[in-house]
Amino acid sequence: MTHTNWTRSLRNWIERTVPMEHLLPDTMPSYVDSYVYLFGVLTLAAFVWIIVSGVILVIFGPDWWHVSAIGHFFNSTHFWSVQAFFFFMVLHLWAQFLMAAWRGGRHWTWIAGWMLFLLSILAGFTGYLSQTNFDSQWVGVQGKDAMNSVGVGGFFNLLNFGQMYGLHVFLLPMLILFLIGAHLFLVRKHGVVEPLPLDDGYGKKNRQRIAPPVPEGESRP
Amino acid sequence: MNGSGLQPPIIAGSAWQYSFFNLSVPDLIVFGLMIVVFVLAIAIPFPGGDHNDPH
Amino acid sequence: MNYANSKYRQVPYDLVRELTLATAGVGVAVLVLAAVFSTPDVPSLSAKQVAQQDPLLLIRTELNALSGQSAIATYGPPYNHGTQSVQAIGNFSPQAWSGVQIPVDPAYTEVIRPLERMKWIDPAISGILATWTQASESQQSTWVANVQRVLPRATVEGGKLILPAAVHGSYGPVVAITNDYLALANSGLLEAAIDGEQGSSPIVNRTKSLLLLQGAADSTYAQKLNMLGENWGVIKETGNYPGAVWLWYYTLLYQIPPYNSSSAADLLVVLTVITVTGILMLIPFIPGLRSIPRLVGVYKLIWRRHYRELRAGGNPYETRE
């Protein structure tokens, strides 16, 4: 009796889906030629610093930064990393939108990116609620009405510091990390999206000669 | 409310008020910077790109 | 094993170097920003601060809670069976369906119970509270109303409420309760006494003490920081620091019709945001919307060298391999 070896199947699937030279590329198509391609990696870099500063803050506990100058400095590092994170993430979103980067079967990459954006907002929100100062007090008492109005306020209780802190320092970062992994996996699986076809008069005279075999994709109405 | 003796340790941050807009100046700076960085990222030629040109 | 884009000419690239440089660059930037600008840290508004800076505000808050007139007393789910703050669109009301999950009866939770805990320190409190709890509900309301009527002419001196002599009926135990409440607030222990109702680590879940000041006290404080809802305050950071700029869209909705005049504003705003976000997330599948990038044409600038090459008759496609 023969049966499939699950381990070998998984290994073959990985090798088929993202071979090493795609996972860690040392070449790029020549059209990858703009600073806008850096917004993604800059978002990732900011995330690294969020985690580093966040881990330091967690080790010393949530009240440390109120009483220690060093703690306050790491809180500031955390704060500005978050600002950089959203700054570059939104620019990354604009750039990917304007390049219609979901074409060619990349719609899951786009959707995963949006899920990352939403989870990041939730992480930022629980971060504000974990500050144990007037920011968290005010955001909590104001935000609770929105949570209550949709019926989740009894469970997702913005005024429950312990719950918000736990979500902020563990569950949400883990989910974001997992989704970043999925997002990057999909990016490396599909490669960088190809330029849109010149179908609107721009460079039309060449179109017959060099018909770009671009995916018609989902961007064409 | 104004007559209350409650006193925060800091004064309110500056904000731009127009109609129903009330946006904090730092937020506007961040947003303005996003636009500037985005425009520059498109406008400035990426270094090393020239050797890709066919000629 | 080829990508669809393997047909394009490939140029050298170093992923690991790019990632390292980006991490280093952003690291330097955030360290400099942190060192230069720091972060704001306005302490929570405490009952002690209110008791000291505006004791009559704390007394008004206490009396509202005691007589069931506070916003939380009539709020509805998840705190109680009130209806004042229950939002609905027609028959659609997830708030009503969610039921009471965090029971809060402000008279007991915010005033009586924390004072009861103080009887170990001041046994006289037991007698005062017994007078209150044994009175009929209408008697209680009358006492509170009598105090509230003269409150505009009241003062607080030495941590004691000084009222004009009662003209219409009596104040009952309300003045004594209020003075003990002020004392508890001035000690800085009121929040812990409120939250301690449910366990040994009250600081972990501060729901009930936060609900005490959530009305007039917090709003007064927020107003002085230009952080009220109509000031887009929920997304603002205290002082001159950037806040949650990424929530502008969400907060904008609260400022415009039909949301700004709706009694179900929160519900409408949340549903709108969910809908719009869903549309944006599914843009690859929505004809018309997915063509916007092509119509806007910024891609022509981003890929201008590639298109120039095409226009010049060059061949950007891979010939090797």
Side-chain angles (χ1 to χ4, degrees), chain A:
Chain A
M1 182 181 146
T2 60
H3 59 89
T4 319
N5 185 312
W6 292 5
T7 309
R8 201 180 313 122
S9 301
L10 177 64
R11 191 177 64 212
N12 289 342
W13 178 78
I14 291 173
E15 282 171 355
R16 212 169 44 244
T17 314
V18 276
M20 272 322 266
E21 62 267 33
H22 286 185
L23 194 62
L24 294 172
D26 57 0
T27 62
M28 277 285 144
S30 59
Y31 59 79
V32 180
D33 178 32
S34 170
Y35 280 106
V36 300
Y37 283 106
L38 293 180
F39 293 140
V41 75
L42 288 169
T43 310
L44 198 59
F47 182 72
V48 169
W49 290 106
I50 290 176
I51 296 295
V52 169
S53 53
V55 164
I56 293 168
L57 289 169
V58 162
I59 288 171
F60 288 90
D63 59 346
W64 179 53
W65 77 280
H66 297 296
V67 295
S68 150
I70 299 169
H72 195 105
F73 176 76
F74 279 108
N75 180 76
S76 304
T77 312
H78 199 60
F79 173 90
W80 289 105
S81 304
V82 171
Q83 287 290 335
F85 180 64
F86 278 103
F87 188 96
F88 291 124
M89 181 159 36
V90 171
L91 294 187
H92 177 64
L93 172 65
W94 291 354
Q96 299 311 311
F97 174 77
L98 291 169
M99 296 191 280
W102 52 74
R103 290 169 294 134
R106 292 171 177 84
H107 45 271
W108 281 113
T109 320
W110 173 262
I111 290 169
W114 266 99
M115 288 168 69
L116 272 169
F117 186 45
L118 297 178
L119 269 179
S120 302
I121 288 175
L122 199 58
F125 189 56
T126 52
Y128 277 101
L129 292 166
S130 299
Q131 289 188 71
T132 55
N133 62 13
F134 184 67
D135 267 324
S136 41
Q137 182 176 19
W138 183 239
V139 170
V141 298
Q142 289 284 288
K144 76 175 190 312
D145 298 327
M147 295 303 146
N148 293 340
S149 77
V150 291
V152 301
F155 163 68
F156 185 69
N157 178 11
L158 306 190
L159 305 180
N160 184 343
F161 165 74
Q163 184 186 21
M164 294 303 116
Y165 187 68
L167 290 172
H168 180 70
V169 303
F170 181 70
L171 189 64
L172 291 169
M174 290 305 286
L175 286 174
I176 289 174
L177 205 59
F178 173 77
L179 263 178
I180 286 178
H183 190 66
L184 294 179
F185 180 89
L186 286 166
V187 168
R188 292 326 308 153
K189 177 187 173 209
H190 292 287
V192 185
V193 74
E194 294 146 75
L196 276 154
L198 301 173
D199 59 354
D200 53 356
Y202 190 90
K204 209 170 202 166
K205 60 179 185 287
N206 276 333
R207 205 163 167 240
Q208 301 300 319
R209 195 157 54 82
I210 309 169
V214 288
E216 286 297 291
E218 296 85 355
S219 81
R220 314 288 287 275

